[in-house]
Amino acid sequence: RRPMLGSEYEQVGIFLKTVAFAAAPTFLKEVLEYDGTNLAFQTAAPRGLQSGDRSTWLALFQNVSGFFLHPVGLEVLVDHSSLDVSQWAVSRVFYNGQYHRDMAELESTYVQGRLRVEKVQKVPWDGDFSSMKPRAAPAAMFPVQYEPQGPRYSVRRNRVVSQAWSFVFGMSVSRGLRLFDVRYRGERIAYEISVQEALSVYGSNCPGGMSTRYMDGSFGIGRFSSPLVRGVDCPYSATYVDMPHLAQSQASRIVQNALCVFEQNLGSPLRRHYSNLQSLYYGGLVNSALVVRSITALGNYDYVWDFIFYQNGAIEGKVQATGYIDDAIQATGYMSSSFLHGDGLRYGNRVWEHTLGTIHTHSINYKVDLDVGGVQNSLVAHDMAFETARAPWSPEQQMERPRLTRKVLDTEDQAAFRQQSKMPRYIYFAANGTNKWGHQRGYRIQLNSFAGEPMPESSSMERAISWARYKLAVTKRKEEEPTSTSVYNQNDPWTPTVAFADFIDNETIAKEDLVAWITTGFLHIPHSEDLPNTVTVGNSVGFLLRPYNYHDLDPSIYSRDGVFFTSEQDVTSCAVNPVACLPERAACLPRFPPFTYGGF
């Protein structure tokens, strides 16, 4: 069940070229025009069908830029379970909808003229339609943002401090970006907010695709953090942080610009009101937010991970998906698009001549360890129901009115909400203490998700990803339950090292130290506009943590960015309206540092 190391991938590649390919020289030369270098392979996972297996489907692609979109129709199943490489063997071969015992049988069938051949047109090295090179010349510069008086936050080592927020960040090799000791105006809101896992489940009529359930933590969400490009991946003037990691080596590796921190003007008001009744005034607050971001380049798929901190005390966890269609890792060899054949359109859309964009789901799991007014919290649900009542001033008439419903969820079973189940629209961690108005201080959990169907629980591997059953599950915090999954679950999901479903055992969670496990995600049915790349627009999911009676009033009213003026004031005066000073304070162009990139 161990994850594959780079050395094992290299050995598999050598076996494919020197042993497997050697058994079918005529087929490879005449059908695939193989010259020893023009084919690339990617691998499916998990590696087999039951515990103890270590057999991997290898799909072949044209070795060009964006090769993920250029399948050639050949897939090879290699049994590499033995620690003795000489014992490795080809277990099965698939080509253009037909299965063969091994490469020798494929060769024989082809030579005898009994093989259905579908020759794929060779593409140039730049990948042709898969190239990321812009099809238009540069023109007027795109808009940029900058701080007229410099950053209003500081980054010292791994601690970020702004006007209202402070937190410590880290990067797990397997799980990626994580935050600790998150405080708003000095008061702790969360002990930990972290990414746990990213799961993709595929459909296809090709063997590699149909058997693929990628658990990205096994490959390394943090390990594959991408060097960020200034001005594109993050604002040009953001603060960039190098991050070290130790994986598959005796020496650590530094990823340059692996993380960025910036304050962003979202271009809309956080709140505002214009009054032309009774009194004449305007009051508003620009919606500027503090953002910490990393981007994972898991082969052909890129995940943009954000944690966003708003001036009203809200926190947003967000992930955006982009990159080439389907979920893939180049260095470790994920599966990407499938070869279109037979009834392939049952499993996706045709996006090029021989390329099927296969249907798949993305599920993202987060750990949110909130400490609302201390570590002793309860989980409370508020919602609405309509009631029928007689109009007090006209009893012969009846009316329907919404009323507030309240319920304390005091066991783990009550606090576990399956993906397709109804969940209270307001659900929050409640403190022991109350605000000025006698309400329990709380932080509400609000989800943004359009997840696909979860894996059926009848599946033999479902327990390994049982966290994906739930859009929200709240459990009692335990040191022996630090993460929802394990890196060992990928290659042996049939006997999982960690089964999240076991965390939920109906323990009492009233007035306890609680953890929320949040699963958000989306269904991806690739389409022609996903070529050459999937865009982030519409492919963003996540959650919000929002104060709910935590304060006595909206704390953003104390922000120094507020604007207020009346009809009787001089709105062009800086003393009245700080926005009026902008032409003077932002009259000069910002001093941007020179562009550098060390990603290669």
Side-chain angles (χ1 to χ4, degrees):
R1 66 179 64 183
R2 70 190 183 279
M4 283 183 68
L5 302 181
S7 56
E8 190 172 0
Y9 283 105
E10 184 178 348
Q11 290 165 335
V12 167
I14 294 172
F15 172 84
L16 189 66
K17 287 184 177 182
T18 61
V19 179
F21 284 180
T26 308
F27 167 82
L28 288 168
K29 181 179 180 180
E30 296 183 1
V31 177
L32 303 184
E33 300 181 44
Y34 179 59
D35 62 8
T37 62
N38 61 346
L39 292 179
F41 75 90
Q42 294 185 281
T43 75
R47 308 183 188 286
L49 297 171
Q50 60 187 357
S51 293
D53 284 355
R54 199 171 182 83
S55 297
T56 301
W57 278 103
L58 312 177
L60 279 300
F61 298 80
Q62 293 192 59
N63 188 17
V64 296
S65 178
F67 67 89
F68 321 103
L69 300 179
H70 297 279
V72 297
L74 177 64
E75 300 184 18
V76 181
L77 179 62
V78 175
D79 181 349
H80 52 112
S81 55
S82 175
L83 295 178
D84 182 353
V85 177
S86 68
Q87 299 299 310
W88 291 3
V90 172
S91 301
R92 196 72 66 188
V93 173
F94 173 86
Y95 175 72
N96 192 24
Q98 305 161 76
Y99 287 89
H100 306 271
R101 184 175 62 251
D102 53 27
M103 291 294 288
E105 182 178 283
L106 173 68
E107 174 82 349
S108 175
T109 304
Y110 171 70
V111 170
Q112 294 172 23
R114 294 186 293 110
L115 187 68
R116 295 196 307 270
V117 172
E118 188 72 41
K119 291 202 69 171
V120 176
Q121 182 179 354
K122 291 189 69 174
V123 297
W125 168 246
D126 68 3
D128 191 25
F129 67 88
S130 64
S131 173
M132 288 283 291
K133 188 175 181 179
R135 274 47 161 190
M141 195 67 185
F142 51 78
V144 297
Q145 69 172 57
Y146 71 104
E147 302 96 337
Q149 295 173 298
R152 303 192 299 180
Y153 62 87
S154 65
V155 182
R156 294 185 176 89
R157 295 176 63 85
N158 66 332
R159 183 173 180 81
V160 178
V161 177
S162 70
Q163 296 179 46
W165 291 98
S166 68
F167 56 85
V168 171
F169 62 81
M171 186 78 74
S172 164
V173 168
S174 58
R175 293 183 296 279
L177 185 59
R178 53 187 180 178
L179 308 180
F180 291 96
D181 193 23
V182 178
R183 295 175 180 264
Y184 180 72
R185 300 191 182 278
E187 188 170 2
R188 177 181 283 177
I189 303 300
Y191 173 74
E192 177 185 358
I193 305 175
S194 60
V195 180
Q196 292 290 297
E197 183 63 283
L199 166 72
S200 300
V201 177
Y202 285 80
S204 176
N205 62 344
C206 294
M210 73 175 70
S211 60
T212 291
R213 289 91 178 90
Y214 286 131
M215 306 171 206
D216 292 340
S218 173
F219 301 93
I221 297 172
R223 177 188 169 206
F224 286 98
S225 295
S226 167
L228 302 174
V229 173
R230 187 183 291 273
V232 181
D233 294 332
C234 304
Y236 201 98
S237 60
T239 299
Y240 294 84
V241 182
D242 298 343
M243 296 294 290
H245 72 253
L246 182 66
Q248 302 192 16
S249 173
Q250 296 300 313
S252 63
R253 173 174 172 258
I254 299 292
V255 179
Q256 293 185 13
N257 296 354
L259 182 146
C260 71
V261 181
F262 57 93
E263 187 179 8
Q264 183 175 27
N265 184 331
L266 299 176
S268 62
L270 179 64
R271 51 173 175 77
R272 60 96 70 189
H273 181 63
Y274 166 74
S275 174
N276 62 354
L277 299 174
Q278 304 297 327
S279 55
L280 305 178
Y281 66 86
Y282 171 85
L285 176 65
V286 63
N287 190 7
S288 63
L290 184 68
V291 183
V292 56
R293 170 177 297 165
S294 71
I295 301 181
T296 300
L298 288 162
N300 66 327
Y301 236 105
D302 297 58
Y303 287 114
V304 182
W305 306 99
D306 284 354
F307 288 117
I308 307 169
F309 301 86
Y310 295 94
Q311 296 189 73
N312 69 328
I315 305 168
E316 182 177 6
K318 183 171 72 173
V319 58
Q320 302 172 81
T322 178
Y324 285 98
I325 59 173
D326 303 327
D327 204 9
I329 283 190
Q330 180 178 352
T332 52
Y334 270 34
M335 189 66 60
S336 57
S337 60
S338 287
F339 188 79
L340 179 60
H341 74 91
D343 63 349
L345 294 181
R346 293 186 62 193
Y347 307 98
N349 288 317
R350 181 179 186 175
V351 294
W352 211 257
E353 186 177 0
H354 296 289
T355 307
L356 177 69
T358 51
I359 186 172
H360 58 281
T361 62
H362 292 270
S363 299
I364 311 297
N365 189 237
Y366 291 91
K367 179 181 181 180
V368 179
D369 185 351
L370 287 171
D371 290 340
V372 181
V375 297
Q376 302 299 308
N377 293 159
S378 299
L379 190 67
V380 180
H382 285 182
D383 213 318
M384 63 163 285
F386 275 97
E387 64 180 11
T388 302
R390 296 288 177 182
W393 63 93
S394 184
E396 69 277 9
Q397 302 294 330
Q398 72 176 28
M399 58 196 306
E400 291 73 34
R401 60 185 177 186
R403 66 174 179 86
L404 175 64
T405 64
R406 297 181 174 92
K407 184 179 181 181
V408 177
L409 307 176
D410 51 16
T411 67
E412 290 179 338
D413 285 12
Q414 291 179 345
F417 297 94
R418 293 175 181 264
Q419 286 291 350
Q420 306 307 326
S421 67
K422 184 178 180 181
M423 189 175 85
R425 278 159 279 218
Y426 277 61
I427 191 163
Y428 65 97
F429 276 38
N432 281 333
T434 61
N435 69 359
K436 182 178 179 180
W437 315 114
H439 296 295
Q440 282 182 293
R441 303 175 72 203
Y443 253 81
R444 176 187 170 198
I445 300 172
Q446 181 176 327
L447 306 183
N448 171 29
S449 177
F450 52 103
E453 297 291 324
M455 178 79 71
E457 290 179 37
S458 58
S459 167
S460 60
M461 65 175 64
E462 190 276 340
R463 273 177 53 79
I465 53 174
S466 52
W467 53 265
R469 297 178 191 173
Y470 308 98
K471 49 190 167 186
L472 174 66
V474 177
T475 63
K476 186 176 179 179
R477 186 185 186 278
K478 297 178 181 178
E479 288 292 327
E480 60 270 25
E481 295 176 350
T483 59
S484 60
T485 185
S486 165
V487 296
Y488 299 107
N489 282 16
Q490 172 70 89
N491 288 336
D492 188 2
W494 308 280
T495 311
T497 302
V498 174
F500 177 77
D502 294 341
F503 291 13
I504 303 169
D505 52 8
N506 212 32
E507 285 191 83
T508 299
I509 58 172
K511 297 182 180 180
E512 296 283 355
D513 192 359
L514 304 180
V515 174
W517 307 88
I518 297 171
T519 299
T520 185
F522 59 95
L523 170 66
H524 191 186
I525 305 175
H527 46 88
S528 56
E529 291 82 7
D530 281 313
L531 268 63
N533 245 194
T534 296
V535 298
T536 56
V537 176
N539 292 313
S540 172
V541 295
F543 63 91
L544 279 162
L545 306 173
R546 300 174 58 186
Y548 185 67
N549 290 321
Y550 187 85
H551 305 279
D552 297 334
L553 79 169
D554 175 17
S556 74
I557 198 68
Y558 298 105
S559 170
R560 297 179 183 274
D561 297 339
V563 173
F564 177 84
F565 49 79
T566 72
S567 61
E568 300 175 355
Q569 293 177 297
D570 179 7
V571 297
T572 65
S573 168
C574 290
V576 173
N577 174 20
V579 179
C581 302
L582 194 60
E584 176 185 337
R585 293 179 178 174
C588 299
L589 289 173
R591 294 181 178 177
F592 285 147
F595 182 91
T596 60
Y597 187 67
F600 305 125

